[in-house]
Amino acid sequence: MKKLSIISIVFLCVTACSNSEKLTQYVNPFVGTTTLWESKDLGYTPQGIKRAWGAEAFPGATLPNAMIQATPVTAFRSGSGYQYEDKFIYGFAHTSKGHWNLLHLPILPVTGDVGAKNYESTYSHDNESAHPGYYQVFLEKYNVNVEVTTTLRCAYYKCTFRPEDEKKMLVDVSRTNNKVKDWSINKDGEYTFFGNQDAEGNIRFYAQCNYKVSDIRAIKDGEHEVAIVTFAKSKDNKPFELRIGFSFVSIDNAKENLKAEIGDKSFAQIEKAADVQWNDLLSSIKVEGGSDHDRHMFYSTLYRAFLWPCLRSDVNGEYTDVKGDVVKADFNYYTLPSFWDDYRNKLVLLEMVRPDVASDVIKAITDMGEKRNGYMPSFFHGDHASTFVAGAWLRGIRDFDLEKAYELMLKNATLPGNGGRPYLDEYLANGWIAEKDTTNVPIWDEYKAAVTKTIEYAYDDYAVSLIAKELRDDKNYKLLREHSMNYKNLFDPSTGFWRGKIADGSWIKDFDPYHPYYAYMFREANAWESLFFAPHDPEGMIALYPSKEAVEMKLDSLFSEPWRNYEAYNMTGFIGNYCHGNQPDHSVPYTYYFIGKQEKAQVILDSLMNHYYGMGKEGLAYAGMDDAGEMSSWYVFNAIGLYTYSPADPEYIVTVPIFEKVNFRLGNGKSFAIRREGNGRKITGIRSGDRQVDGWFVSHDELQNWGELVISTTGTR
C-alpha cells in the first residue's frame, strides 16, 4: 500500500472538511421575526403604537415545505404568530405561514392551577435558541425548558420540568389565527390522546406521551376554552416527551404518519435527521468568499425561502381536496402558493432546487382548478400561476400534465366567470380595467386596484402565450401576445406614470403619484412604486418615454424623491420612493440595464442587500414582510449574481454577486458555477462557458449545460 505524506493527509482532511461543511450553522431562524420601530428604518415617523408589517416570519422547528411548523405563539392575529419584541408565549402552534392565518392546535406545558385565561408565560431571548429543525425556550412562569423538533408531518417535544412539579399540558383547542369551527380531544389508552381542530383546514392529531394520561378536562372562561391534560405520577427528573402526528384527512392517518416518521426514534435522532435534511438542501448552493455576515444572511434567507408552500398529503398518499373529499394520489399535495408575492422569484428558486416539489405543486393547483369552476386558482390579487407553470415547463420540469394546466390558465385569461380573474370582462373589452372616480381615498380602502391588475394581467397573458406556443395553439398564442401589450393602455405620457382611468376612458383627476394605496388604482403601492413593470417587454416599456435619458431621470427621481411621511403599515424601508418592504417594485432597479446604466442598478442592489436585510436594533429585521419567502429569495438570487426579471422565461438577468464563487447544484442533478472576476460592481463582460454573452441575460439551459458563468467587473466595491 502506498503511504501518504503528511502534506497529502492534511490536504485530504481539509478537502473533506470543506466538502462536508455544515451549512446549517449559518442559519439564524430568528432573522425576519422582528418589527421595525425606528423612523430611520420605517421611512416615516409613526404616529401611534401600531406595528408596521415586519417580516412576519416564525423561528420554530420545521422541514423544507413540510406540513408541520412547530413554533411559539406570542400574539394571535399576528402574521406568523411570533413577534420578537413580545414578552409572553401563549403556546406552540403547528402550522404557520406569515399571513395572519393558521396556527393550528397551540399547546403549552404548564404546572399548578391553570385557567382558560392568563396562562401565558414570560420568556427571555437569553434562554431561547433555534436552528433548522429545532427550537428551544425556557418558560419562566412554569420553570419548564421546552425543546421541539419535527418531521414532515409530526412534532416531537422534550420538556424538562422541575422534579417537584406535576407535569401538565394545556391544549388551546378553541383558538388559532382563524375562527375555530369545531374541536375535540379524547383519551385513547394509557399513554395517548387524539382529536381535531377545524380552522382553515381540519387538522387531526394523535399524541403519544412517555407518562400515563390520567385526565383530560375542559376549562372555559367566556368564549375561550382550553383542555388540560394531566399525567399520573409525573413528579420526577425524567423529561416529559410528547410525539404528535398530524393529518388533514383523519385521526387514523395522523397515527400512521406518527408511526412512519417517528416510531420509536429518540428526540436526538429526529433532531439530527432534520439537520441533515436542511443541510442537504442548503448545500444546493455553496458560496466562497464574502464576509461572515454575508454567509449568515445568505443561508438564513435560503432557509426561509423553502418554508412555503406546505405539504398537505399523508404518508399513504391521501389528502383532502378543495371539495372536502378524501383523495389518494401518486403525488404529494401542497397548499396554494402565495402567487402574487412569490411568483416573482421564490417559485423559480423552488423550480431550480426542488423540481420534484414544484411539479407536485403544479399537480395540486391543477387538481384544485379542475374541481373549482375550471379556473386555475389565484392568490390574493392577480393571476400568476401561469407564470409559475410556464417557468417550470420551460426550465425542463415535465412531470405534470401541461395540457390540463393550460386549459385552466387559458380559461383564466379569456373567459370571465366565478373563480376567474376579477373584472376580466372590462379587461377584454377595453384592454384595461376602470377604477372608480372618487377623491380623498383613504390608504386602506378596498377598490379594484385597476392599474395593477391591468399591467399584471398583461404579463400573465404573456406567460400563457408561452405555453400556447409550446402546444402549437397558434390562434390563442397570437391573441394572448396582443393582450400582453395591454400594459401600455394605462400609461399616461403627460406624467410618465401608469395612471387609472374611469369608465369613460378619461384619466382619474385626483392623481397624486406620492400617495400610497392599498387597492385604489395600485395594489399596496403608489404610482412611483408601480413604474416600469413589463418584464416581458422592457424595450417596449422604455419606448413609452421620449428618450432613454428621460427614463434615467425618472429612475433617478424614484430613488431620490423622498417618501412623504405617509404611514402605511405594509410599506416600509425606502430608498426615495422605492419601497423594498413590499413586492410591487422589486424588479424596478434592473430597468437601468435597458438604458445602458447597469452600474446604477448595482448601486441600488448593493444598498438593499447591505442595509435592508438585518435591520433594526437586533439586526434581525427585513425591510418588510417576507411574504412566504419572496423577500428572502430576492436576496438569494442577487447575492449569487442572478435575478428572475421575467420569471416565466427560462433566463436570468446577470448581476454582480457578493461572493467570489458560487456552486449551484440543481435539483435535476446538473450543476453550474458562477465566478466573479474583479472586485468592482460594474460588469464589463459575461462569459458562459466559452461563449461571450451578448446582453445581460443568460438562459437556464446555458447555465446547466455550459457549467460556468464568469462575470467580469471593474471598479471597487
Side-chain angles (χ1 to χ4, degrees):
M1 180 179 176
K2 186 177 180 180
K3 293 184 178 180
L4 294 173
S5 67
I6 294 295
I7 293 176
S8 298
I9 292 172
V10 170
F11 174 78
L12 289 173
C13 179
V14 170
T15 302
C17 291
S18 175
N19 289 338
S20 62
E21 183 180 19
K22 187 176 178 181
L23 298 178
T24 50
Q25 68 177 309
Y26 295 114
V27 175
N28 182 354
F30 292 100
V31 167
T33 64
T34 59
T35 303
L36 296 175
W37 292 99
E38 300 296 326
S39 298
K40 62 181 178 64
D41 295 326
L42 291 167
Y44 58 82
T45 302
Q47 300 302 306
I49 59 172
K50 186 176 176 66
R51 284 184 172 126
W53 292 4
E56 310 300 345
F58 64 87
T62 192
L63 290 183
N65 302 109
M67 178 185 291
I68 295 306
Q69 300 80 44
T71 187
V73 178
T74 65
F76 287 95
R77 303 295 181 184
S78 69
S80 71
Y82 181 92
Q83 300 280 353
Y84 192 84
E85 63 271 19
D86 288 345
K87 305 300 182 185
F88 298 94
I89 288 178
Y90 289 83
F92 300 88
H94 297 93
T95 59
S96 183
K97 177 187 178 185
H99 279 76
W100 293 272
N101 61 340
L102 302 179
L103 302 186
H104 281 98
L105 201 75
I107 66 173
L108 187 71
V110 296
T111 61
D113 294 327
V114 182
K117 289 185 178 179
N118 302 319
Y119 56 78
E120 64 273 16
S121 174
T122 55
Y123 72 106
S124 168
H125 295 306
D126 293 335
N127 205 343
E128 181 187 33
S129 63
H131 55 254
Y134 172 88
Y135 174 83
Q136 171 274 327
V137 71
F138 183 76
L139 302 177
E140 295 171 339
K141 182 173 184 176
Y142 303 109
N143 293 291
V144 180
N145 188 63
V146 181
E147 299 173 86
V148 61
T149 187
T150 57
T151 64
L152 286 173
R153 304 170 179 88
C154 307
Y156 194 151
Y157 289 86
K158 184 169 72 173
C159 306
T160 305
F161 290 74
R162 296 184 304 187
E164 65 268 27
D165 288 333
E166 181 182 358
K167 301 171 177 64
K168 298 179 182 180
M169 184 66 68
L170 183 149
V171 184
D172 204 344
V173 288
S174 65
R175 184 157 60 174
T176 71
N177 265 358
N178 302 98
K179 182 179 179 180
V180 177
K181 304 172 188 175
D182 176 63
W183 63 267
S184 66
I185 183 169
N186 299 281
K187 186 173 180 290
D188 179 43
E190 291 185 321
Y191 292 91
T192 57
F193 61 94
F194 66 92
N196 79 294
Q197 188 187 53
D198 189 359
E200 194 172 316
N202 191 354
I203 199 168
R204 284 80 165 189
F205 63 94
Y206 188 85
Q208 293 179 338
C209 318
N210 63 339
Y211 285 85
K212 289 183 179 180
V213 177
S214 61
D215 184 44
I216 300 175
R217 60 190 176 94
I219 300 175
K220 192 170 185 179
D221 190 332
E223 294 184 357
H224 189 216
E225 192 166 7
V226 302
I228 306 296
V229 185
T230 56
F231 304 93
K233 299 179 180 179
S234 65
K235 292 184 178 181
D236 58 26
N237 289 310
K238 184 174 66 174
F240 172 81
E241 293 191 352
L242 179 67
R243 303 171 175 89
I244 316 178
F246 294 91
S247 167
F248 284 89
V249 173
S250 68
I251 290 168
D252 285 343
N253 278 17
K255 184 177 181 179
E256 185 178 353
N257 291 342
L258 181 62
K259 181 179 179 181
E261 295 186 354
I262 293 183
D264 59 359
K265 295 184 182 71
S266 69
F267 185 93
Q269 287 175 309
I270 298 300
E271 181 190 354
K272 182 178 180 180
D275 185 80
V276 169
Q277 288 188 55
W278 273 114
N279 200 67
D280 181 65
L281 185 144
L282 298 171
S283 297
S284 299
I285 310 178
K286 292 186 175 181
V287 299
E288 299 176 17
S291 68
D292 187 62
H293 173 270
D294 292 337
R295 285 188 294 277
H296 277 85
M297 188 56 67
F298 177 78
Y299 285 110
S300 294
T301 53
L302 182 59
Y303 161 82
R304 200 154 290 293
F306 286 90
L307 301 181
W308 192 268
C310 287
L311 182 67
R312 284 296 180 263
S313 54
D314 296 323
V315 293
N316 63 5
E318 291 182 344
Y319 64 91
T320 300
D321 68 12
V322 292
K323 297 173 68 176
D325 297 330
V326 174
V327 180
K328 190 168 185 177
D330 59 358
F331 65 91
N332 283 322
Y333 191 77
Y334 285 89
T335 55
L336 183 68
S338 296
F339 284 124
W340 189 63
D341 306 309
D342 57 21
Y343 83 97
R344 308 161 196 272
N345 48 41
K346 199 285 287 287
L347 291 176
V348 177
L349 193 59
L350 183 71
E351 293 163 3
M352 297 173 79
V353 175
R354 303 197 76 189
D356 56 331
V357 174
S359 176
D360 282 349
V361 173
I362 293 172
K363 292 174 185 177
I365 62 175
T366 301
D367 183 80
M368 296 174 195
E370 289 181 328
K371 295 173 179 176
R372 188 181 284 165
N373 297 333
Y375 290 98
M376 184 62 84
S378 59
F379 171 83
F380 179 62
H381 172 88
D383 173 34
H384 304 304
S386 53
T387 304
F388 174 41
V389 174
W393 184 266
L394 296 174
R395 286 179 176 83
I397 299 174
R398 303 295 166 88
D399 184 26
F400 64 91
D401 192 323
L402 182 64
E403 291 188 4
K404 282 186 176 182
Y406 175 63
E407 182 179 350
L408 300 175
M409 295 187 301
L410 184 61
K411 187 174 178 181
N412 281 35
T414 60
L415 186 62
N418 183 27
R421 295 180 184 176
Y423 315 113
L424 181 63
D425 52 346
E426 289 185 45
Y427 177 82
L428 294 177
N430 303 323
W432 48 273
I433 299 168
E435 193 60 272
K436 182 179 180 180
D437 186 16
T438 188
T439 59
N440 301 317
V441 177
I443 288 174
W444 288 99
D445 273 18
E446 279 278 7
Y447 290 85
K448 291 182 178 178
V451 176
T452 302
K453 279 188 173 67
T454 297
I455 63 178
E456 290 186 356
Y457 285 0
Y459 183 64
D460 288 320
D461 289 337
Y462 169 77
V464 181
S465 80
L466 296 175
I467 302 303
K469 185 177 182 180
E470 288 288 303
L471 295 176
R472 302 183 185 278
D473 183 357
D474 296 334
K475 178 183 177 181
N476 282 309
Y477 171 75
K478 182 180 179 181
L479 176 71
L480 292 163
R481 281 299 174 109
E482 290 174 358
H483 289 180
S484 74
M485 294 295 107
N486 284 339
Y487 77 90
K488 298 179 181 180
N489 294 336
L490 292 183
F491 181 76
D492 174 16
S494 70
T495 62
F497 291 100
W498 273 260
R499 181 175 178 180
K501 290 180 178 179
I502 61 175
D504 66 6
S506 61
W507 297 115
I508 286 177
K509 294 181 177 61
D510 189 19
F511 178 72
D512 178 359
Y514 295 92
H515 193 284
Y517 298 104
Y518 186 69
Y520 185 64
M521 293 190 284
F522 311 104
R523 170 58 76 177
E524 299 189 31
N526 65 14
W528 280 107
E529 291 148 12
S530 303
L531 283 168
F532 302 114
F533 183 85
H536 56 304
D537 187 31
E539 298 297 339
M541 176 183 67
I542 296 298
L544 294 173
Y545 291 84
S547 64
K548 289 186 176 180
E549 290 74 20
V551 172
E552 184 176 7
M553 289 178 61
K554 199 74 171 182
L555 281 166
D556 291 348
S557 296
L558 166 65
F559 294 110
S560 60
E561 279 290 312
W563 182 252
R564 301 304 204 250
N565 206 38
Y566 289 107
E567 186 170 5
Y569 306 119
N570 60 334
M571 297 168 67
T572 54
F574 299 93
I575 299 179
N577 260 257
Y578 172 90
C579 174
H580 199 64
N582 213 326
Q583 283 71 34
D585 53 1
H586 278 189
S587 63
V588 171
Y590 310 95
T591 310
Y592 277 119
Y593 278 70
F594 306 109
I595 57 171
K597 300 290 182 178
Q598 171 273 326
E599 67 277 14
K600 279 194 168 184
Q602 197 61 52
V603 169
I604 300 298
L605 301 179
D606 286 342
S607 180
L608 294 171
M609 285 188 284
N610 290 335
H611 304 298
Y612 290 74
Y613 292 80
M615 299 176 74
K617 63 181 181 180
E618 301 92 357
L620 296 173
Y622 286 0
M625 278 187 70
D626 193 27
D627 273 317
E630 189 279 343
M631 191 83 71
S632 294
S633 300
W634 189 98
Y635 184 96
V636 168
F637 273 117
N638 283 285
I640 65 174
L642 304 172
Y643 192 66
T644 54
Y645 182 76
S646 176
D649 287 300
E651 63 181 13
Y652 312 91
I653 197 167
V654 177
T655 67
V656 182
I658 62 176
F659 302 104
E660 294 171 14
K661 187 174 182 181
V662 176
N663 293 293
F664 201 127
R665 184 190 75 226
L666 293 165
N668 63 8
K670 296 185 178 182
S671 299
F672 64 89
I674 301 172
R675 183 162 54 86
R676 188 189 73 216
E677 288 186 344
N679 293 316
R681 310 307 286 171
K682 181 176 181 177
I683 297 175
T684 56
I686 303 170
R687 191 169 71 251
S688 178
D690 296 328
R691 184 182 78 87
Q692 198 70 28
V693 174
D694 182 21
W696 301 110
F697 289 88
V698 60
S699 74
H700 186 81
D701 281 346
E702 273 190 296
L703 283 177
Q704 65 178 0
N705 293 326
W706 286 91
E708 185 177 53
L709 183 71
V710 180
I711 304 168
S712 300
T713 67
T714 189
T716 58
R717 184 175 181 180

